[in-house]
Amino acid sequence: MHTTHTSFLLAGQTVHRITFDPATFTDIDLLWLPHHAELTDAGRKRKTDHLAGRLAAAHALRDFGITALPAIGVNGEPLWPAGIVGSITHTANCAMATVCDHPHRLVGLDCELILDPQEAEDIKDGILFETEESVLRPGDIPFSQALTLVFSAKESLFKALFPCVKEYMGFDCARVTALEEQHLTLALTRSLAGFSAGDCFTIHWQRENERIITLIAQQ
């Protein structure tokens, strides 16, 4: 599969990005993965996304001198080498990964294509509380972009918390309490294993063309 690797900084954290051409993928490409047999029955999109994500993860891990790749957990989550925490995301023809060697840090990364304005209006009730909409509507950011940002931020938070709480989290598990130019704040609406309702988390974000990228990396 034809790929291009680049990297950038977000909130001081290095994010590795793989841009790929799905049309150039063949199943032989998967043999590079130690766990390739687990993807035998997966669809083509799942295979290309997974491969690109693991390529991004490989570049991120090499920054720490690690050549092992994250395996696949029972819930589909990446299983990082000992002493490492990280996160992988993919959308369209792009995959990203970031890692750090502070095992108690919360790390979550997500990337989303900005929603069409009408689609944003159609799906907002499944993502937002009414109080959140009142935070987003008065802002300078168009609502479709703001909703994409909240969607992505909640995904990043859930990825960061999952290794600790080991349970599925819906969009109603957290709400936006503040939205700023480069970060937003999410507060838990209920207790989770090791965390209490009201606990707040800072999610950093940036826009890249028609994508929103969000990241949490905190103790």
Side-chain angles (χ1 to χ4, degrees), residues 52-70:
R54 285 325 193 258
L55 284 168
H59 284 284
L61 288 166
R62 283 173 192 157
D63 288 347
F64 297 90
I66 298 172
T67 57
L69 291 175

Side-chain angles (χ1 to χ4, degrees), residues 25-165:
F25 169 81
T26 68
D27 282 334
I28 294 175
D29 296 324
L30 291 179
L31 297 179
W32 173 73
L33 298 169
H35 53 269
H36 61 85
E38 297 179 53
L39 298 166
T40 300
D41 297 327
R44 183 181 180 88
K45 183 179 186 306
R46 163 71 171 148
K47 290 176 178 177
T48 56
D49 286 350
H50 184 88
L51 177 61
R54 285 325 193 258
L55 284 168
H59 284 284
L61 288 166
R62 283 173 192 157
D63 288 347
F64 297 90
I66 298 172
T67 57
L69 291 175
I72 306 174
V74 295
N75 295 289
E77 76 280 15
L79 300 178
W80 298 96
I84 293 289
V85 291
S87 187
I88 300 172
T89 186
H90 38 70
T91 183
N93 64 337
C94 179
M96 301 178 190
T98 190
V99 303
C100 72
D101 59 354
H102 300 285
H104 300 296
R105 180 170 291 184
L106 300 175
V107 176
L109 175 69
D110 190 69
C111 179
E112 302 290 340
L113 293 173
I114 295 174
L115 292 163
D116 172 81
Q118 185 57 56
E119 183 181 6
E121 295 293 342
D122 291 342
I123 69 173
K124 64 182 177 63
D125 291 342
I127 299 171
L128 300 176
F129 293 96
E130 288 185 11
T131 54
E132 291 180 290
E133 188 168 354
S134 67
V135 172
L136 302 184
R137 289 288 188 185
D140 297 328
I141 302 173
F143 181 71
S144 58
Q145 179 178 328
L147 184 66
T148 306
L149 170 55
V150 173
F151 180 100
S152 182
K154 290 185 179 183
E155 288 287 339
S156 285
L157 178 61
F158 300 158
K159 288 180 183 180
L161 294 182
F162 184 82
C164 302
V165 304

